[in-house]
Amino acid sequence: MFVYMLNIHLILIFIVNICQGIERPLVIGHRGSAYLPELTLESQSIAHAYQADMVEIDVCLTRDNQLIVIHDLYLNAVSNVKDIYPNRSRSDGYHYVIDFDLNELRNLTIHERIIPFTNTQVYPARFPSSSSIPFHLATLNETIELLLGLSHSTNQQYQLLIEIKNPEYHSQYNTSISSILISTLQAYNLTESHHPIVIQTFHIEDLLYIRENLNSRLRLIALLTWNHLNESSSNFDFYRSEEGLQKLETFVQAIAPNMELLVNFAEDGSIINVTNLTVLAHKYNLAVYPWTFRHDTYKGNFEQLIDFFHRTVQVDGFITSQPDIVIELLEKKI
Ligand SMILES: *[C@@H]1O[C@H](CO)[C@@H](O)[C@H](O)[C@H]1NC(C)=O
Ligand SMILES: *[C@@H]1O[C@H](CO)[C@@H](O)[C@H](O)[C@H]1NC(C)=O
Ligand SMILES: *[C@@H]1O[C@H](CO)[C@@H](O)[C@H](O)[C@H]1NC(C)=O
Ligand SMILES: *[C@@H]1O[C@H](CO)[C@@H](O)[C@H](O)[C@H]1NC(C)=O
Ligand SMILES: *[C@@H]1O[C@H](CO)[C@@H](O)[C@H](O)[C@H]1NC(C)=O
Ligand SMILES: *[C@@H]1O[C@H](CO)[C@@H](O)[C@H](O)[C@H]1NC(C)=O
Ligand SMILES: *[C@@H]1O[C@H](CO)[C@@H](O)[C@H](O)[C@H]1NC(C)=O
Ligand SMILES: *[C@@H]1O[C@H](CO)[C@@H](O)[C@H](O)[C@H]1NC(C)=O
């Protein structure tokens, strides 16, 4: 009962937050923004400067249990790790974050995402991966200090959406990445639902753990996808059902599904019809933030795509690599 009431309280605050002066859906900068190498402080700064309502980041643990901001469990797609530590890969050829101490990782430089072991950029239209600018890995602490510092210096409220990467993988190393995250946030006094931090992960049971065992009052979002992608052992077939959404309502404020769970697309990328997931989620007071809207790779008409998700699907937010473009399109349409 207590948990239930706590949640009503959280949901109300969440709705108030969302409604504060924002008439359009939220715009969330995926890995910062697409304009500089992903997740660097520079890339995050651009998303903040473009007035993204939130900046989405991913966190992993180093060997010495420090939280760093990186998307993959390995370092090879975004750094020069193989040049700096040629003898530290595992038998699959990859260098894993968990095998390095933070001080070792500070020696790396970061570049635009490539296909590991090639010179091929994943997103050719983005910042050149061959650039010699020494971007660096950001720690979570630095990212929080950027958020708080910019909020102070610009007198605007920025928010961070923190994705916990693969809690089950981290637990193989006997560490609860969720506990370390919550205690790190506590050290910054970031504990309340009105604070500028939101947490998401694909391992839904970790969200329940954060709410019920760690007693966190922070806003939580359930990432949803298909079971066959193995993003976690959570049963997404269940969490996408009416019964599952009803359960989610008791401990999270929103769902973040891949956009193909909300809309059926044809082979050529055109829209066929809308699924019932958004309507069902709204029935259980869950906001809906689909991902990932990429202007540089979408084959169809990006403006029509955004308009469709806004007006027809009626999502509550967009997770996008180009927050500036999505904000412009949404504000133009109001
Ligand atoms: C690291 O590997 C290179 C070849 O990949 C080898 O020449 C070198 O001796 C190794 N260094 C150490 C310290 O094992
Ligand atoms: C990495 O940085 C540490 C200091 O934190 C230094 O002792 C070490 O030699 C550096 N390693 C390489 C390969 O540059
Ligand atoms: C984790 O803890 C278990 C049980 O205490 C132990 O058997 C295992 O070796 C530990 N693993 C690591 C990677 O420390
Ligand atoms: C980050 O901040 C936490 C909490 O203050 C602290 O325990 C931790 O050592 C810091 N880590 C780094 C890498 O600065
Ligand atoms: C957190 O709040 C406590 C109590 O109000 C205060 O003493 C401490 O300085 C704050 N810490 C930070 C990092 O703001
Ligand atoms: C997910 O795991 C199953 C069973 O281990 C495997 O067959 C499948 O290829 C995996 N899928 C992906 C996308 O990795
Ligand atoms: C929507 O499209 C899918 C895929 O083509 C189809 O299986 C489904 O029956 C359609 N649903 C409705 C309500 O038209
Ligand atoms: C929603 O759609 C799914 C898949 O098409 C279907 O299995 C489910 O029964 C529908 N749920 C409701 C409540 O309409």
Side-chain angles (χ1 to χ4, degrees):
M1 186 58 189
F2 174 71
V3 170
Y4 176 74
M5 288 183 55
L6 178 70
N7 249 279
I8 296 283
H9 176 67
L10 289 179
I11 288 160
L12 285 177
I13 289 172
F14 196 58
I15 290 167
V16 168
N17 273 2
I18 287 171
C19 296
Q20 263 172 5
I22 304 174
E23 300 291 326
R24 53 162 174 78
L26 291 185
V27 177
I28 302 169
H30 183 245
R31 304 185 200 170
S33 66
Y35 304 115
L36 284 173
E38 66 182 48
L39 296 171
T40 57
L41 294 175
E42 291 87 346
S43 170
Q44 296 180 43
S45 300
I46 291 192
H48 287 311
Y50 276 133
Q51 312 286 321
D53 301 297
M54 287 186 197
V55 168
E56 187 258 0
I57 62 159
D58 303 281
V59 292
C60 290
L61 280 174
T62 61
R63 184 167 62 189
D64 52 343
N65 287 336
Q66 298 299 320
L67 287 162
I68 63 159
V69 179
I70 188 167
H71 177 269
D72 304 334
L73 299 174
Y74 53 81
L75 296 147
N76 303 77
V78 295
S79 82
N80 63 347
V81 67
K82 74 170 182 349
D83 302 331
I84 306 294
Y85 299 110
N87 305 58
R88 297 277 297 275
S89 61
R90 293 193 191 175
S91 54
D92 62 2
Y94 285 88
H95 293 72
Y96 286 82
V97 175
I98 197 85
D99 294 339
F100 292 84
D101 288 338
L102 174 61
N103 278 338
E104 295 177 319
L105 296 178
R106 289 198 191 276
N107 292 334
L108 305 183
T109 59
I110 298 298
H111 52 66
E112 178 60 37
R113 176 171 288 271
I114 57 168
I115 298 168
F117 319 118
T118 74
N119 291 321
T120 309
Q121 242 176 268
V122 173
Y123 302 104
R126 298 192 185 177
F127 200 80
S129 58
S130 57
S131 157
S132 62
I133 298 175
F135 296 102
H136 287 103
L137 273 174
T139 63
L140 177 64
N141 290 7
E142 290 160 355
T143 294
I144 292 170
E145 287 173 32
L146 179 73
L147 178 87
L148 300 176
L150 275 177
S151 297
H152 179 78
S153 63
T154 65
N155 200 26
Q156 293 188 43
Q157 182 66 273
Y158 300 103
Q159 303 201 56
L160 210 51
L161 171 54
I162 302 173
E163 177 175 344
I164 308 172
K165 290 310 285 192
N166 212 326
E168 293 165 288
Y169 165 88
H170 284 101
S171 71
Q172 290 168 28
Y173 298 90
N174 291 349
T175 46
S176 165
I177 184 171
S178 298
S179 305
I180 293 174
L181 172 63
I182 295 300
S183 58
T184 300
L185 293 170
Q186 253 158 13
Y188 286 94
N189 289 337
L190 294 166
T191 55
E192 307 301 322
S193 58
H194 65 273
H195 286 162
I197 301 288
V198 188
I199 296 173
Q200 67 177 6
T201 183
F202 281 110
H203 190 235
I204 309 302
E205 291 71 19
D206 256 72
L207 297 173
L208 190 58
Y209 177 77
I210 289 170
R211 181 69 79 227
E212 295 196 341
N213 298 75
L214 303 179
N215 296 310
S216 177
R217 292 179 294 272
L218 291 169
R219 288 166 287 164
L220 304 178
I221 299 180
L223 278 162
L224 298 182
T225 187
W226 298 284
N227 284 349
H228 71 82
L229 295 183
N230 303 337
E231 289 285 0
S232 81
S233 68
S234 298
N235 183 359
F236 296 114
D237 289 345
F238 170 70
Y239 287 114
R240 293 198 313 268
S241 72
E242 180 150 13
E243 201 190 342
L245 292 164
Q246 202 168 356
K247 175 153 168 78
L248 283 177
E249 187 194 11
T250 64
F251 61 100
V252 308
Q253 280 61 54
I255 60 168
N258 45 311
M259 61 166 111
E260 296 84 0
L261 289 175
L262 303 183
V263 164
N264 291 306
F265 291 91
E267 294 282 332
D268 68 358
S270 62
I271 290 166
I272 300 175
N273 62 27
V274 180
T275 73
N276 58 19
L277 186 55
T278 306
V279 166
L280 274 179
H282 285 164
K283 178 173 172 191
Y284 294 102
N285 302 306
L286 296 162
V288 179
Y289 307 131
W291 40 275
T292 303
F293 296 86
R294 292 187 177 93
H295 181 257
D296 56 329
T297 57
Y298 183 64
K299 297 278 183 286
N301 181 320
F302 194 70
E303 182 166 353
Q304 280 168 15
L305 179 76
I306 299 300
D307 192 55
F308 189 82
F309 273 83
H310 180 200
R311 291 176 182 280
T312 305
V313 189
Q314 299 190 350
V315 298
D316 305 281
F318 291 83
I319 301 182
T320 173
S321 316
Q322 287 88 5
D324 55 321
I325 295 175
V326 175
I327 288 171
E328 192 188 322
L329 291 174
L330 290 173
E331 293 187 344
K332 192 162 91 180
K333 293 285 172 183
I334 281 172

